[in-house]
Amino acid sequence: MLEVGKKAPNFTSINQNGEKVKLADLTGKNGVVVYFYPRDMTPGCTTEACDFRDNFVRLKKFGYNVVGISKDNPKSHTKFIEKQELNFDLISDESGEICEAYGVWREKVFMGRRGMGIVRSTFLLDSSLKIKKIYDSVKVKGHVEEIIKDIQEIQGK
């Protein structure tokens, strides 16, 4: 189980362009927001991605980059980015290794049915990849604003 203050698992995977990327290479000056979401093009995931898109410049001003991760393939990510005009990388975790490492692949109940899936979660990491905050079972509405407030608190602004 990941904990605040501990180092987050680094990873190497493929982004929407099929390029190999490492988490350490995606970090901004002060850190990175790594968010896990269930699926491209679904209503909740689209709302969340668009909220990150609309606040990307604000997050960059605080020195943070944004990275989204799901089990969708790079082609699906490319369509999602183009359709929603996203301005950050989406990472493909088709094997589920990253989801497992971050503890977000868990049993879920949807419409009364149990099954395994990505539990919507976000990790706020500093530039050395130490976990500053964990947001588990995220509710989309107001989530990005909460992250920005936490960054301001961390930075004393």
Side-chain angles (χ1 to χ4, degrees):
M1 199 63 184
L2 299 180
E3 297 175 22
V4 170
K6 302 277 185 183
K7 197 126 173 144
N10 200 353
F11 58 79
T12 302
S13 194
I14 305 294
N15 70 6
Q16 69 279 354
N17 300 320
E19 300 164 339
K20 202 176 210 182
V21 292
K22 290 182 185 174
L23 175 60
D25 298 336
L26 299 169
T27 304
K29 183 180 108 186
N30 293 324
V32 61
V33 176
V34 180
Y35 82 96
F36 290 84
Y37 65 100
R39 214 170 165 96
D40 292 340
M41 307 290 192
T42 58
C45 297
T46 298
T47 299
E48 184 178 30
C50 291
D51 203 7
F52 276 115
R53 176 200 66 203
D54 296 345
N55 286 285
F56 186 73
V57 171
R58 286 176 72 196
L59 288 161
K60 284 298 241 189
K61 282 183 183 173
F62 287 115
Y64 284 80
N65 195 15
V66 175
V67 177
I69 302 175
S70 78
K71 291 185 78 171
D72 294 302
N73 64 40
K75 189 175 180 181
S76 175
H77 284 337
T78 299
K79 287 179 184 173
F80 191 37
I81 285 170
E82 288 172 357
K83 184 169 184 180
Q84 301 305 327
E85 298 178 1
L86 303 181
N87 47 6
F88 53 87
D89 276 338
L90 296 179
I91 304 300
S92 182
D93 182 29
E94 291 180 271
S95 71
E97 288 178 35
I98 303 168
C99 292
E100 290 281 351
Y102 278 79
V104 301
W105 184 256
R106 302 195 299 251
E107 185 177 64
K108 297 171 35 169
V109 178
F110 182 69
M111 298 178 76
R113 298 172 72 194
R114 291 186 180 280
M116 295 299 286
I118 294 175
V119 173
R120 192 182 307 279
S121 305
T122 301
F123 297 83
L124 180 60
L125 310 179
D126 68 15
S127 59
S128 64
L129 302 182
K130 281 197 179 147
I131 301 170
K132 299 303 274 181
K133 182 108 188 211
I134 299 170
Y135 307 84
D136 190 46
S137 300
V138 167
K139 302 288 180 248
V140 173
K141 191 172 170 78
H143 177 54
V144 175
E145 199 57 46
E146 179 186 9
I147 293 168
I148 290 170
K149 284 179 185 170
D150 289 338
I151 289 171
Q152 288 173 319
E153 197 174 288
I154 289 166
Q155 295 183 348
K157 295 184 179 184

